[in-house]
């Protein structure tokens, strides 16, 4: 486990011994502006001057360093958010893909009751909670009649 959380993505990259090249810096700046999540394609679209391969490689690096979290978006595409310290889960808006974190986790308690029935040892768990975010909920209410998506 990592004991000291990096203060910024930049520090995280440098602490891991990676050079902060211009494309990386540009990607990190963009990612930091999207606390509710982003896809690699969105980064590509917003940084046309950075090559697609570099974007994907950098996102993978951030993931490997534990600086971002990966989840599956409503369209099945991988989505990423900035990682927060400690064990946590994500909520994901099924409409717009906005992600948020929550740290209150009672899953381990549930798993304790499973322990007796589970062969082997439970090492961890993953969970994503799908929501309609406040923004999309508001939109839904203003359009009143539920139009099919
Ligand atoms: Zn996370
Ligand atoms: Zn939403
Ligand atoms: Zn949990």
């Amino acid at each position: 486990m990592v004991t000291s959380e990096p203060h910024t993505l930049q520090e995280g990259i440098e602490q891991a011994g990676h050079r902060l090249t211009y494309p990386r810096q540009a990607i990190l700046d963009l990612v930091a502006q999207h606390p509710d999540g982003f896809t690699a394609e969105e980064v590509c679209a917003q940084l046309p001057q950075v090559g697609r391969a570099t974007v994907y490689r950098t996102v993978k690096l951030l993931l490997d360093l534990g600086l971002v979290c990966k989840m599956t978006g409503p369209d099945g595409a991988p989505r990423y958010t900035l990682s927060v310290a400690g064990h946590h889960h994500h909520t994901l808006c099924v409409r717009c893909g906005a992600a948020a974190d929550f740290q209150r986790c009672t899953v381990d308690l549930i798993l304790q009751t499973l322990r007796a029935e589970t062969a082997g040892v439970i090492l961890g768990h993953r969970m994503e909670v799908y929501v309609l975010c406040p923004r999309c909920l508001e939109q839904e209410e203003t359009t009143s009649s539920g139009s099919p998506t």
Side-chain angles (χ1 to χ4, degrees):
M1 267 340 269
V2 190
T3 45
S4 66
E5 256 337 273
H7 296 295
T8 64
L9 291 170
Q10 282 83 354
E11 282 175 24
I13 289 262
E14 286 177 335
Q15 274 171 21
H18 297 277
R19 271 191 327 124
L20 204 54
T21 55
Y22 163 73
R24 277 181 184 161
Q25 179 70 61
I27 292 167
L28 296 185
D29 286 346
L30 188 73
V31 162
Q33 289 161 20
H34 290 79
D36 60 351
F38 60 93
T39 65
E41 281 306 317
E42 281 167 9
V43 175
C44 289
Q46 287 179 56
L47 292 175
Q49 72 276 28
V50 176
R52 178 173 296 258
T54 303
V55 169
Y56 275 83
R57 239 184 289 123
T58 304
V59 169
K60 168 117 182 12
L61 177 66
L62 292 173
L63 190 64
D64 289 346
L65 295 177
L67 298 173
V68 299
C69 301
K70 184 183 183 181
M71 64 213 77
T72 307
D75 53 359
R79 269 189 91 78
Y80 305 89
T81 55
L82 299 181
S83 184
V84 299
H87 181 78
H88 65 283
H89 294 284
H90 304 100
T91 59
L92 206 56
C93 177
V94 297
R95 184 77 44 93
C96 69
D101 309 297
F102 65 95
Q103 284 178 291
R104 183 188 297 238
C105 174
T106 54
V107 175
D108 280 328
L109 292 175
I110 299 166
L111 290 181
Q112 271 172 27
T113 66
L114 278 178
R115 210 152 276 167
E117 303 172 34
T118 308
V121 182
I122 298 170
L123 297 176
H125 61 268
R126 276 182 86 92
M127 183 172 66
E128 281 162 20
V129 178
Y130 298 106
V131 299
L132 210 50
C133 75
R135 216 167 41 219
C136 290
L137 201 58
E138 199 175 307
Q139 248 173 39
E140 179 126 308
E141 277 161 7
T142 49
T143 49
S144 62
S145 65
S147 53
T149 45

Short mmCIF file of all heavy atoms in Angstrom, two decimals, residues 54-119:
data_model
loop_
_atom_site.label_atom_id
_atom_site.label_comp_id
_atom_site.label_asym_id
_atom_site.label_seq_id
_atom_site.Cartn_x
_atom_site.Cartn_y
_atom_site.Cartn_z
N THR A 54 -0.20 8.40 -27.44
CA THR A 54 0.35 9.03 -26.23
C THR A 54 -0.75 9.18 -25.18
O THR A 54 -0.51 8.94 -24.00
CB THR A 54 0.94 10.42 -26.57
OG1 THR A 54 1.92 10.24 -27.59
CG2 THR A 54 1.58 11.05 -25.35
N VAL A 55 -1.95 9.59 -25.62
CA VAL A 55 -3.06 9.73 -24.68
C VAL A 55 -3.34 8.39 -24.01
O VAL A 55 -3.41 8.29 -22.78
CB VAL A 55 -4.34 10.25 -25.40
CG1 VAL A 55 -5.55 10.14 -24.47
CG2 VAL A 55 -4.14 11.69 -25.86
N TYR A 56 -3.48 7.36 -24.81
CA TYR A 56 -3.80 6.04 -24.25
C TYR A 56 -2.69 5.53 -23.33
O TYR A 56 -2.95 4.95 -22.29
CB TYR A 56 -4.10 5.04 -25.37
CG TYR A 56 -5.54 5.11 -25.82
CD1 TYR A 56 -5.93 6.07 -26.75
CD2 TYR A 56 -6.51 4.27 -25.29
CE1 TYR A 56 -7.26 6.17 -27.16
CE2 TYR A 56 -7.83 4.35 -25.68
CZ TYR A 56 -8.20 5.31 -26.62
OH TYR A 56 -9.52 5.40 -26.99
N ARG A 57 -1.43 5.76 -23.74
CA ARG A 57 -0.30 5.31 -22.92
C ARG A 57 -0.27 6.06 -21.59
O ARG A 57 0.01 5.47 -20.54
CB ARG A 57 1.02 5.53 -23.67
CG ARG A 57 1.79 4.24 -23.89
CD ARG A 57 3.13 4.48 -24.55
NE ARG A 57 3.02 4.87 -25.93
CZ ARG A 57 3.52 5.99 -26.45
NH1 ARG A 57 4.16 6.86 -25.70
NH2 ARG A 57 3.36 6.26 -27.73
N THR A 58 -0.55 7.37 -21.65
CA THR A 58 -0.50 8.17 -20.42
C THR A 58 -1.63 7.80 -19.48
O THR A 58 -1.43 7.71 -18.26
CB THR A 58 -0.56 9.68 -20.77
OG1 THR A 58 0.50 9.98 -21.67
CG2 THR A 58 -0.44 10.54 -19.52
N VAL A 59 -2.82 7.57 -20.03
CA VAL A 59 -3.94 7.16 -19.19
C VAL A 59 -3.62 5.83 -18.52
O VAL A 59 -3.88 5.62 -17.34
CB VAL A 59 -5.25 7.08 -20.02
CG1 VAL A 59 -6.35 6.40 -19.22
CG2 VAL A 59 -5.69 8.47 -20.46
N LYS A 60 -3.01 4.93 -19.28
CA LYS A 60 -2.62 3.62 -18.72
C LYS A 60 -1.60 3.80 -17.61
O LYS A 60 -1.67 3.14 -16.57
CB LYS A 60 -2.05 2.76 -19.85
CG LYS A 60 -1.34 1.49 -19.41
CD LYS A 60 -2.06 0.27 -19.92
CE LYS A 60 -1.48 -1.07 -19.49
NZ LYS A 60 -0.49 -1.08 -18.44
N LEU A 61 -0.66 4.72 -17.81
CA LEU A 61 0.35 5.00 -16.80
C LEU A 61 -0.30 5.52 -15.51
O LEU A 61 0.03 5.07 -14.41
CB LEU A 61 1.35 6.03 -17.35
CG LEU A 61 2.45 6.51 -16.38
CD1 LEU A 61 3.40 5.36 -16.02
CD2 LEU A 61 3.24 7.66 -17.00
N LEU A 62 -1.24 6.46 -15.67
CA LEU A 62 -1.94 7.00 -14.50
C LEU A 62 -2.68 5.90 -13.75
O LEU A 62 -2.73 5.88 -12.52
CB LEU A 62 -2.93 8.09 -14.94
CG LEU A 62 -2.33 9.37 -15.49
CD1 LEU A 62 -3.42 10.28 -16.04
CD2 LEU A 62 -1.53 10.09 -14.42
N LEU A 63 -3.24 4.99 -14.52
CA LEU A 63 -3.98 3.88 -13.92
C LEU A 63 -3.02 2.96 -13.17
O LEU A 63 -3.28 2.57 -12.03
CB LEU A 63 -4.70 3.12 -15.03
CG LEU A 63 -5.72 2.07 -14.62
CD1 LEU A 63 -6.87 2.72 -13.87
CD2 LEU A 63 -6.23 1.33 -15.84
N ASP A 64 -1.89 2.64 -13.82
CA ASP A 64 -0.90 1.76 -13.19
C ASP A 64 -0.35 2.37 -11.91
O ASP A 64 -0.02 1.66 -10.96
CB ASP A 64 0.26 1.48 -14.15
CG ASP A 64 -0.17 0.57 -15.30
OD1 ASP A 64 -1.25 -0.04 -15.20
OD2 ASP A 64 0.57 0.49 -16.29
N LEU A 65 -0.25 3.71 -11.87
CA LEU A 65 0.30 4.39 -10.70
C LEU A 65 -0.76 4.60 -9.62
O LEU A 65 -0.48 5.13 -8.56
CB LEU A 65 0.90 5.74 -11.10
CG LEU A 65 2.12 5.70 -12.02
CD1 LEU A 65 2.56 7.10 -12.38
CD2 LEU A 65 3.26 4.94 -11.36
N GLY A 66 -2.00 4.22 -9.94
CA GLY A 66 -3.07 4.38 -8.96
C GLY A 66 -3.54 5.82 -8.82
O GLY A 66 -4.15 6.19 -7.82
N LEU A 67 -3.24 6.65 -9.81
CA LEU A 67 -3.64 8.06 -9.73
C LEU A 67 -5.04 8.28 -10.28
O LEU A 67 -5.68 9.28 -10.00
CB LEU A 67 -2.64 8.94 -10.50
CG LEU A 67 -1.21 8.90 -9.94
CD1 LEU A 67 -0.26 9.66 -10.85
CD2 LEU A 67 -1.17 9.48 -8.54
N VAL A 68 -5.49 7.37 -11.11
CA VAL A 68 -6.88 7.42 -11.57
C VAL A 68 -7.52 6.06 -11.33
O VAL A 68 -6.84 5.04 -11.19
CB VAL A 68 -7.01 7.81 -13.07
CG1 VAL A 68 -6.43 9.18 -13.34
CG2 VAL A 68 -6.38 6.76 -13.97
N CYS A 69 -8.85 6.06 -11.27
CA CYS A 69 -9.63 4.84 -11.14
C CYS A 69 -10.31 4.57 -12.47
O CYS A 69 -10.68 5.49 -13.18
CB CYS A 69 -10.71 5.00 -10.08
SG CYS A 69 -10.08 5.39 -8.46
N LYS A 70 -10.46 3.29 -12.77
CA LYS A 70 -11.12 2.92 -14.01
C LYS A 70 -12.47 2.29 -13.69
O LYS A 70 -12.60 1.51 -12.76
CB LYS A 70 -10.25 1.89 -14.74
CG LYS A 70 -10.77 1.48 -16.09
CD LYS A 70 -9.87 0.40 -16.68
CE LYS A 70 -10.33 0.03 -18.07
NZ LYS A 70 -9.49 -1.04 -18.64
N MET A 71 -13.46 2.66 -14.48
CA MET A 71 -14.77 2.03 -14.33
C MET A 71 -15.38 1.90 -15.72
O MET A 71 -14.82 2.37 -16.70
CB MET A 71 -15.66 2.85 -13.39
CG MET A 71 -15.98 4.23 -13.89
SD MET A 71 -16.14 5.40 -12.54
CE MET A 71 -14.44 5.69 -12.13
N THR A 72 -16.54 1.26 -15.77
CA THR A 72 -17.18 1.07 -17.06
C THR A 72 -18.33 2.04 -17.21
O THR A 72 -19.23 2.07 -16.39
CB THR A 72 -17.69 -0.38 -17.17
OG1 THR A 72 -16.60 -1.25 -16.88
CG2 THR A 72 -18.20 -0.66 -18.56
N GLY A 73 -18.28 2.84 -18.26
CA GLY A 73 -19.31 3.84 -18.49
C GLY A 73 -20.60 3.22 -18.98
O GLY A 73 -20.65 2.04 -19.30
N PRO A 74 -21.67 4.03 -19.03
CA PRO A 74 -22.98 3.52 -19.45
C PRO A 74 -22.95 2.93 -20.86
O PRO A 74 -23.74 2.04 -21.17
CB PRO A 74 -23.90 4.75 -19.38
CG PRO A 74 -23.04 5.91 -19.09
CD PRO A 74 -21.71 5.45 -18.66
N ASP A 75 -22.05 3.41 -21.69
CA ASP A 75 -21.96 2.89 -23.05
C ASP A 75 -20.97 1.73 -23.15
O ASP A 75 -20.65 1.27 -24.23
CB ASP A 75 -21.55 4.01 -24.02
CG ASP A 75 -20.29 4.73 -23.56
OD1 ASP A 75 -19.74 4.38 -22.49
OD2 ASP A 75 -19.83 5.63 -24.27
N GLY A 76 -20.47 1.28 -22.00
CA GLY A 76 -19.53 0.17 -21.98
C GLY A 76 -18.08 0.59 -22.16
O GLY A 76 -17.18 -0.22 -22.02
N ALA A 77 -17.85 1.87 -22.48
CA ALA A 77 -16.48 2.36 -22.66
C ALA A 77 -15.84 2.61 -21.30
O ALA A 77 -16.52 3.03 -20.37
CB ALA A 77 -16.48 3.64 -23.48
N PRO A 78 -14.53 2.35 -21.19
CA PRO A 78 -13.85 2.64 -19.92
C PRO A 78 -13.89 4.12 -19.61
O PRO A 78 -13.68 4.95 -20.48
CB PRO A 78 -12.41 2.17 -20.14
CG PRO A 78 -12.39 1.46 -21.43
CD PRO A 78 -13.61 1.87 -22.21
N ARG A 79 -14.21 4.45 -18.38
CA ARG A 79 -14.18 5.83 -17.89
C ARG A 79 -13.21 5.90 -16.74
O ARG A 79 -13.03 4.93 -16.02
CB ARG A 79 -15.56 6.26 -17.40
CG ARG A 79 -16.42 6.90 -18.44
CD ARG A 79 -17.66 7.48 -17.79
NE ARG A 79 -17.47 8.86 -17.39
CZ ARG A 79 -17.50 9.89 -18.22
NH1 ARG A 79 -17.71 9.70 -19.49
NH2 ARG A 79 -17.32 11.10 -17.79
N TYR A 80 -12.60 7.07 -16.57
CA TYR A 80 -11.60 7.25 -15.53
C TYR A 80 -11.97 8.45 -14.66
O TYR A 80 -12.53 9.42 -15.15
CB TYR A 80 -10.23 7.48 -16.16
CG TYR A 80 -9.83 6.38 -17.12
CD1 TYR A 80 -10.17 6.47 -18.46
CD2 TYR A 80 -9.15 5.25 -16.67
CE1 TYR A 80 -9.83 5.45 -19.35
CE2 TYR A 80 -8.80 4.24 -17.54
CZ TYR A 80 -9.15 4.34 -18.88
OH TYR A 80 -8.83 3.34 -19.74
N THR A 81 -11.63 8.36 -13.38
CA THR A 81 -11.73 9.53 -12.51
C THR A 81 -10.45 9.63 -11.72
O THR A 81 -9.72 8.64 -11.56
CB THR A 81 -12.87 9.42 -11.47
OG1 THR A 81 -12.70 8.21 -10.73
CG2 THR A 81 -14.23 9.45 -12.13
N LEU A 82 -10.20 10.82 -11.19
CA LEU A 82 -9.07 11.00 -10.28
C LEU A 82 -9.30 10.13 -9.07
O LEU A 82 -10.41 10.06 -8.54
CB LEU A 82 -8.97 12.47 -9.85
CG LEU A 82 -8.76 13.46 -10.99
CD1 LEU A 82 -8.64 14.86 -10.42
CD2 LEU A 82 -7.52 13.12 -11.78
N SER A 83 -8.25 9.47 -8.63
CA SER A 83 -8.38 8.56 -7.50
C SER A 83 -8.37 9.33 -6.19
O SER A 83 -7.72 10.36 -6.07
CB SER A 83 -7.22 7.57 -7.52
OG SER A 83 -7.38 6.64 -6.48
N VAL A 84 -9.12 8.84 -5.23
CA VAL A 84 -9.05 9.38 -3.88
C VAL A 84 -8.40 8.32 -3.00
O VAL A 84 -8.40 7.14 -3.34
CB VAL A 84 -10.43 9.79 -3.31
CG1 VAL A 84 -11.05 10.86 -4.17
CG2 VAL A 84 -11.34 8.59 -3.21
N ALA A 85 -7.86 8.76 -1.85
CA ALA A 85 -7.13 7.84 -0.98
C ALA A 85 -8.08 6.84 -0.34
O ALA A 85 -9.24 7.15 -0.05
CB ALA A 85 -6.40 8.64 0.09
N GLY A 86 -7.59 5.67 -0.13
CA GLY A 86 -8.32 4.68 0.65
C GLY A 86 -9.34 3.91 -0.16
O GLY A 86 -9.59 4.19 -1.33
N HIS A 87 -9.94 2.94 0.51
CA HIS A 87 -10.94 2.09 -0.13
C HIS A 87 -12.19 2.90 -0.45
O HIS A 87 -12.71 3.59 0.42
CB HIS A 87 -11.28 0.93 0.81
CG HIS A 87 -12.27 -0.01 0.23
ND1 HIS A 87 -11.92 -0.96 -0.71
CD2 HIS A 87 -13.60 -0.16 0.43
CE1 HIS A 87 -13.00 -1.65 -1.05
NE2 HIS A 87 -14.03 -1.19 -0.37
N HIS A 88 -12.64 2.85 -1.67
CA HIS A 88 -13.83 3.60 -2.03
C HIS A 88 -14.51 2.98 -3.24
O HIS A 88 -13.96 2.09 -3.88
CB HIS A 88 -13.50 5.07 -2.31
CG HIS A 88 -12.61 5.26 -3.51
ND1 HIS A 88 -11.26 5.02 -3.49
CD2 HIS A 88 -12.89 5.67 -4.76
CE1 HIS A 88 -10.75 5.28 -4.68
NE2 HIS A 88 -11.71 5.66 -5.48
N HIS A 89 -15.69 3.45 -3.51
CA HIS A 89 -16.44 3.00 -4.68
C HIS A 89 -16.91 4.21 -5.46
O HIS A 89 -16.76 5.34 -5.02
CB HIS A 89 -17.65 2.16 -4.24
CG HIS A 89 -17.26 0.89 -3.59
ND1 HIS A 89 -16.82 -0.20 -4.29
CD2 HIS A 89 -17.22 0.53 -2.29
CE1 HIS A 89 -16.55 -1.18 -3.46
NE2 HIS A 89 -16.76 -0.76 -2.23
N HIS A 90 -17.51 3.93 -6.62
CA HIS A 90 -17.97 5.02 -7.47
C HIS A 90 -19.44 4.90 -7.77
O HIS A 90 -19.97 3.81 -7.90
CB HIS A 90 -17.20 5.01 -8.79
CG HIS A 90 -15.73 5.08 -8.60
ND1 HIS A 90 -14.93 3.96 -8.67
CD2 HIS A 90 -14.92 6.12 -8.31
CE1 HIS A 90 -13.69 4.33 -8.43
NE2 HIS A 90 -13.65 5.61 -8.20
N THR A 91 -20.05 6.07 -7.90
CA THR A 91 -21.37 6.11 -8.52
C THR A 91 -21.15 6.64 -9.94
O THR A 91 -20.24 7.44 -10.19
CB THR A 91 -22.35 7.03 -7.78
OG1 THR A 91 -21.81 8.34 -7.75
CG2 THR A 91 -22.60 6.53 -6.37
N LEU A 92 -21.98 6.17 -10.84
CA LEU A 92 -21.80 6.52 -12.24
C LEU A 92 -23.18 6.86 -12.80
O LEU A 92 -24.11 6.06 -12.68
CB LEU A 92 -21.21 5.30 -12.94
CG LEU A 92 -20.39 5.51 -14.19
CD1 LEU A 92 -19.23 6.46 -13.92
CD2 LEU A 92 -19.86 4.16 -14.65
N CYS A 93 -23.30 8.05 -13.40
CA CYS A 93 -24.59 8.43 -13.98
C CYS A 93 -24.79 7.66 -15.29
O CYS A 93 -23.94 7.69 -16.17
CB CYS A 93 -24.65 9.93 -14.23
SG CYS A 93 -26.18 10.45 -15.02
N VAL A 94 -25.91 6.97 -15.39
CA VAL A 94 -26.16 6.16 -16.59
C VAL A 94 -26.46 7.05 -17.80
O VAL A 94 -26.38 6.59 -18.93
CB VAL A 94 -27.33 5.18 -16.38
CG1 VAL A 94 -27.00 4.18 -15.28
CG2 VAL A 94 -28.62 5.92 -16.06
N ARG A 95 -26.82 8.31 -17.55
CA ARG A 95 -27.17 9.21 -18.64
C ARG A 95 -25.93 9.90 -19.20
O ARG A 95 -25.64 9.83 -20.39
CB ARG A 95 -28.20 10.24 -18.16
CG ARG A 95 -28.74 11.18 -19.19
CD ARG A 95 -29.78 10.56 -20.11
NE ARG A 95 -30.78 9.76 -19.46
CZ ARG A 95 -31.97 10.19 -19.03
NH1 ARG A 95 -32.29 11.44 -19.16
NH2 ARG A 95 -32.82 9.36 -18.47
N CYS A 96 -25.18 10.59 -18.33
CA CYS A 96 -24.07 11.42 -18.82
C CYS A 96 -22.69 10.86 -18.45
O CYS A 96 -21.68 11.35 -18.92
CB CYS A 96 -24.19 12.84 -18.28
SG CYS A 96 -23.90 12.98 -16.52
N GLY A 97 -22.67 9.83 -17.61
CA GLY A 97 -21.39 9.20 -17.28
C GLY A 97 -20.63 9.89 -16.16
O GLY A 97 -19.52 9.48 -15.83
N ALA A 98 -21.21 10.94 -15.56
CA ALA A 98 -20.52 11.63 -14.47
C ALA A 98 -20.27 10.66 -13.32
O ALA A 98 -21.18 9.93 -12.90
CB ALA A 98 -21.36 12.82 -13.99
N ALA A 99 -19.07 10.66 -12.82
CA ALA A 99 -18.70 9.75 -11.74
C ALA A 99 -18.49 10.52 -10.46
O ALA A 99 -18.14 11.69 -10.46
CB ALA A 99 -17.43 8.99 -12.10
N ALA A 100 -18.74 9.86 -9.33
CA ALA A 100 -18.45 10.43 -8.01
C ALA A 100 -17.97 9.29 -7.12
O ALA A 100 -18.16 8.11 -7.44
CB ALA A 100 -19.69 11.10 -7.44
N ASP A 101 -17.34 9.64 -6.01
CA ASP A 101 -16.82 8.64 -5.08
C ASP A 101 -17.69 8.55 -3.85
O ASP A 101 -18.29 9.54 -3.44
CB ASP A 101 -15.41 9.02 -4.58
CG ASP A 101 -14.48 9.35 -5.70
OD1 ASP A 101 -14.21 8.45 -6.51
OD2 ASP A 101 -14.04 10.51 -5.77
N PHE A 102 -17.73 7.40 -3.25
CA PHE A 102 -18.21 7.31 -1.87
C PHE A 102 -17.35 6.32 -1.13
O PHE A 102 -16.85 5.36 -1.70
CB PHE A 102 -19.71 6.96 -1.79
CG PHE A 102 -20.06 5.58 -2.30
CD1 PHE A 102 -20.16 4.52 -1.43
CD2 PHE A 102 -20.32 5.37 -3.64
CE1 PHE A 102 -20.50 3.25 -1.89
CE2 PHE A 102 -20.66 4.11 -4.11
CZ PHE A 102 -20.75 3.05 -3.23
N GLN A 103 -17.14 6.58 0.15
CA GLN A 103 -16.19 5.78 0.91
C GLN A 103 -16.85 4.90 1.95
O GLN A 103 -16.22 4.01 2.49
CB GLN A 103 -15.14 6.69 1.57
CG GLN A 103 -14.13 7.17 0.54
CD GLN A 103 -13.10 8.11 1.11
OE1 GLN A 103 -13.40 9.23 1.48
NE2 GLN A 103 -11.87 7.65 1.18
N ARG A 104 -18.12 5.18 2.21
CA ARG A 104 -18.81 4.35 3.18
C ARG A 104 -19.07 3.00 2.52
O ARG A 104 -19.84 2.89 1.58
CB ARG A 104 -20.12 5.01 3.58
CG ARG A 104 -20.87 4.25 4.66
CD ARG A 104 -22.23 4.86 4.85
NE ARG A 104 -22.10 6.23 5.32
CZ ARG A 104 -22.62 6.66 6.45
NH1 ARG A 104 -23.33 5.86 7.20
NH2 ARG A 104 -22.47 7.90 6.82
N CYS A 105 -18.42 1.98 3.00
CA CYS A 105 -18.53 0.68 2.36
C CYS A 105 -18.88 -0.37 3.39
O CYS A 105 -18.14 -0.59 4.34
CB CYS A 105 -17.22 0.31 1.67
SG CYS A 105 -17.26 -1.35 1.00
N THR A 106 -20.01 -0.99 3.22
CA THR A 106 -20.42 -2.04 4.15
C THR A 106 -20.34 -3.41 3.48
O THR A 106 -20.80 -4.40 4.03
CB THR A 106 -21.86 -1.81 4.63
OG1 THR A 106 -22.70 -1.66 3.48
CG2 THR A 106 -21.97 -0.57 5.49
N VAL A 107 -19.73 -3.43 2.30
CA VAL A 107 -19.66 -4.68 1.55
C VAL A 107 -18.90 -5.75 2.33
O VAL A 107 -19.27 -6.93 2.32
CB VAL A 107 -19.03 -4.45 0.16
CG1 VAL A 107 -18.84 -5.76 -0.58
CG2 VAL A 107 -19.89 -3.51 -0.66
N ASP A 108 -17.84 -5.33 3.02
CA ASP A 108 -17.06 -6.30 3.79
C ASP A 108 -17.91 -7.02 4.83
O ASP A 108 -17.71 -8.20 5.10
CB ASP A 108 -15.86 -5.62 4.46
CG ASP A 108 -14.72 -5.42 3.46
OD1 ASP A 108 -14.58 -6.27 2.56
OD2 ASP A 108 -13.99 -4.44 3.60
N LEU A 109 -18.86 -6.28 5.39
CA LEU A 109 -19.76 -6.91 6.37
C LEU A 109 -20.60 -8.00 5.70
O LEU A 109 -20.79 -9.08 6.24
CB LEU A 109 -20.68 -5.86 7.00
CG LEU A 109 -20.00 -4.84 7.92
CD1 LEU A 109 -20.99 -3.79 8.38
CD2 LEU A 109 -19.38 -5.56 9.11
N ILE A 110 -21.09 -7.68 4.51
CA ILE A 110 -21.88 -8.66 3.76
C ILE A 110 -21.01 -9.87 3.42
O ILE A 110 -21.44 -11.02 3.54
CB ILE A 110 -22.44 -8.03 2.46
CG1 ILE A 110 -23.35 -6.85 2.81
CG2 ILE A 110 -23.19 -9.05 1.64
CD1 ILE A 110 -23.68 -5.96 1.61
N LEU A 111 -19.79 -9.58 3.04
CA LEU A 111 -18.89 -10.66 2.62
C LEU A 111 -18.55 -11.59 3.79
O LEU A 111 -18.31 -12.77 3.59
CB LEU A 111 -17.61 -10.09 2.00
CG LEU A 111 -17.79 -9.42 0.64
CD1 LEU A 111 -16.46 -8.90 0.11
CD2 LEU A 111 -18.42 -10.36 -0.36
N GLN A 112 -18.53 -11.03 4.99
CA GLN A 112 -18.24 -11.87 6.16
C GLN A 112 -19.23 -13.01 6.28
O GLN A 112 -18.88 -14.13 6.63
CB GLN A 112 -18.26 -11.02 7.44
CG GLN A 112 -16.90 -10.43 7.75
CD GLN A 112 -16.97 -9.44 8.89
OE1 GLN A 112 -17.84 -9.54 9.75
NE2 GLN A 112 -16.04 -8.49 8.90
N THR A 113 -20.48 -12.71 5.97
CA THR A 113 -21.49 -13.75 6.05
C THR A 113 -21.31 -14.76 4.92
O THR A 113 -21.78 -15.89 5.02
CB THR A 113 -22.92 -13.16 5.97
OG1 THR A 113 -23.09 -12.59 4.67
CG2 THR A 113 -23.12 -12.08 7.02
N LEU A 114 -20.65 -14.36 3.86
CA LEU A 114 -20.41 -15.27 2.72
C LEU A 114 -19.21 -16.17 2.96
O LEU A 114 -19.04 -17.19 2.30
CB LEU A 114 -20.13 -14.46 1.45
CG LEU A 114 -21.31 -13.93 0.67
CD1 LEU A 114 -20.79 -13.13 -0.52
CD2 LEU A 114 -22.17 -15.07 0.17
N ARG A 115 -18.37 -15.75 3.89
CA ARG A 115 -17.08 -16.41 4.08
C ARG A 115 -17.25 -17.92 4.30
O ARG A 115 -16.50 -18.72 3.74
CB ARG A 115 -16.36 -15.78 5.27
CG ARG A 115 -14.86 -15.82 5.14
CD ARG A 115 -14.22 -14.68 5.89
NE ARG A 115 -14.20 -13.45 5.11
CZ ARG A 115 -13.91 -12.25 5.60
NH1 ARG A 115 -13.65 -12.10 6.87
NH2 ARG A 115 -13.89 -11.18 4.83
N ALA A 116 -18.24 -18.27 5.08
CA ALA A 116 -18.46 -19.68 5.40
C ALA A 116 -18.83 -20.48 4.15
O ALA A 116 -18.52 -21.65 4.06
CB ALA A 116 -19.55 -19.81 6.45
N GLU A 117 -19.49 -19.82 3.20
CA GLU A 117 -19.96 -20.53 2.01
C GLU A 117 -18.99 -20.44 0.85
O GLU A 117 -19.23 -21.03 -0.20
CB GLU A 117 -21.31 -19.94 1.55
CG GLU A 117 -22.39 -19.98 2.60
CD GLU A 117 -23.61 -19.20 2.12
OE1 GLU A 117 -23.88 -19.21 0.91
OE2 GLU A 117 -24.25 -18.56 2.96
N THR A 118 -17.94 -19.63 1.00
CA THR A 118 -17.03 -19.39 -0.11
C THR A 118 -15.80 -20.27 0.00
O THR A 118 -15.14 -20.29 1.04
CB THR A 118 -16.59 -17.91 -0.14
OG1 THR A 118 -17.75 -17.11 -0.10
CG2 THR A 118 -15.80 -17.60 -1.38
N ALA A 119 -15.51 -21.00 -1.06
CA ALA A 119 -14.28 -21.77 -1.10
C ALA A 119 -13.12 -20.80 -1.29
O ALA A 119 -13.23 -19.84 -2.05
CB ALA A 119 -14.33 -22.77 -2.24
#
